[in-house]
Amino acid sequence: MKEKIKLIAFDLDGTLTQHKTKLDARNRAVLDRLAEKYSLLMVGAGQCMRIFNQMDGYPLDIIGNYGLQYGTYNKDTKTLDIVRDEILPCDKASVDARVTMLREKYGFTEFAGESVEFHPSGCVTFAILGTNAKAEDKLAFDPDRSKRRAIYDEVCEVFSEYIVFVGGSSSFDMVSRPYNKYYALDRYCKEKGLTHDEVIFVGDDYGLGGNDESVYKSDFGFICVDDYTKLEEYLAEIL
């Protein structure tokens, strides 16, 4: 199978790096080895430039915001050229009302900062502990995601026009349909003339509500990474 592979697509946090930390030298070297054989692509949930900076300017194209953004690496300027940046409409009042209903139903009525983060792209974060919650409180809230997965189906039903993800350590992230990582990667393949069997996706967030789940459950090849510090071991067969 690996003789057919032309493109390796990656998630970032938990796959190549720790959450919101820079790409380290060891995993950068792994990417360098892969780049000798394959094209590389990042498929992310955040903005392209944030991902590019977190990767310390690693030279690859980046899909951001679940496909709403797309940036290509410019070899001359050694930066990213944003070639697509879509913005979706968002009914903030309606979102606020529905989040308030869920807060009152499940007792999430105390929070620091804003209840909801509205992103410039039109994506939404239901920040259960609030946008200004302390990092240690967020990490302690739902480490195994069981609290959020217990109500995940209901959140999906309440926000049926969105695709809902169990995001970060204490939130739900939402993006308007049909945007998710599968949609973004499929769109990229159509634009580049690639078939799905020529692509492998590498990710860690493939469980219920994870933002890699849509690719994991699809016909794309998928390599599961459960410890980013052992990336080289997971990729041994294609290195």
Side-chain angles (χ1 to χ4, degrees):
M1 283 290 293
K2 69 179 182 180
E3 284 72 25
K4 291 191 67 174
I5 300 303
K6 296 181 180 178
L7 175 72
I8 311 295
F10 287 92
D11 167 60
L12 180 55
D13 288 344
T15 301
L16 295 179
T17 71
Q18 179 63 279
H19 184 62
K20 293 186 178 179
T21 61
K22 297 283 189 178
L23 180 67
D24 63 28
R26 182 174 179 178
N27 283 353
R28 189 181 187 97
V30 172
L31 293 181
D32 287 342
R33 289 172 61 190
L34 287 171
E36 294 175 0
K37 301 179 181 180
Y38 315 101
S39 296
L40 304 182
L41 176 71
M42 175 60 59
V43 185
Q47 294 185 332
C48 289
M49 285 307 302
R50 183 193 68 76
I51 295 169
F52 182 70
N53 291 330
Q54 187 176 340
M55 293 187 69
D56 267 343
Y58 193 86
L60 83 174
D61 293 349
I62 298 174
I63 295 173
N65 291 342
Y66 299 105
L68 290 167
Q69 273 194 343
Y70 174 52
T72 58
Y73 183 74
N74 187 319
K75 294 179 180 179
D76 295 328
T77 62
K78 296 184 179 180
T79 190
L80 210 60
D81 293 334
I82 304 300
V83 297
R84 181 167 67 239
D85 190 6
E86 300 175 34
I87 297 174
L88 300 175
C90 177
D91 185 341
K92 295 182 180 180
S94 173
V95 170
D96 266 327
R98 285 178 280 174
V99 166
T100 298
M101 180 274 292
L102 289 168
R103 285 190 179 280
E104 292 175 351
K105 181 174 182 178
Y106 290 103
F108 301 139
T109 53
E110 293 186 8
F111 54 90
E114 300 297 324
S115 174
V116 181
E117 183 176 1
F118 294 101
H119 301 277
S121 61
C123 296
V124 174
T125 297
F126 170 9
I128 295 175
L129 300 185
T131 56
N132 293 338
K134 295 178 181 178
E136 57 267 30
D137 291 340
K138 292 193 289 185
L139 290 172
F141 173 73
D142 189 22
D144 63 356
R145 302 190 174 192
S146 60
K147 292 180 182 178
R148 286 169 293 163
R149 284 176 173 159
I151 64 171
Y152 176 71
D153 287 344
E154 183 175 357
V155 177
C156 290
E157 183 178 350
V158 169
F159 289 97
S160 59
E161 76 272 34
Y162 289 95
I163 296 177
V164 180
F165 306 102
V166 180
S169 54
S170 60
S171 62
F172 290 103
D173 295 329
M174 299 181 281
V175 60
S176 294
R177 294 181 182 277
Y179 290 92
N180 61 19
K181 289 189 179 181
Y182 172 82
Y183 175 83
L185 187 55
D186 177 64
R187 182 180 184 181
Y188 180 89
C189 287
K190 289 173 179 175
E191 291 172 349
K192 300 296 182 181
L194 293 167
T195 58
H196 289 196
D197 60 358
E198 293 174 323
V199 179
I200 288 179
F201 187 90
V202 184
D204 75 306
D205 198 8
Y206 52 86
L208 177 66
N211 65 33
D212 299 329
E213 182 189 16
S214 62
V215 185
Y216 176 70
K217 294 172 70 173
S218 76
D219 58 340
F220 282 110
F222 195 104
I223 295 177
C224 301
V225 174
D226 297 315
D227 181 351
Y228 80 95
T229 67
K230 298 178 180 179
L231 179 68
E232 187 174 5
E233 296 178 25
Y234 293 111
L235 301 181
E237 290 190 14
I238 61 173
L239 279 168

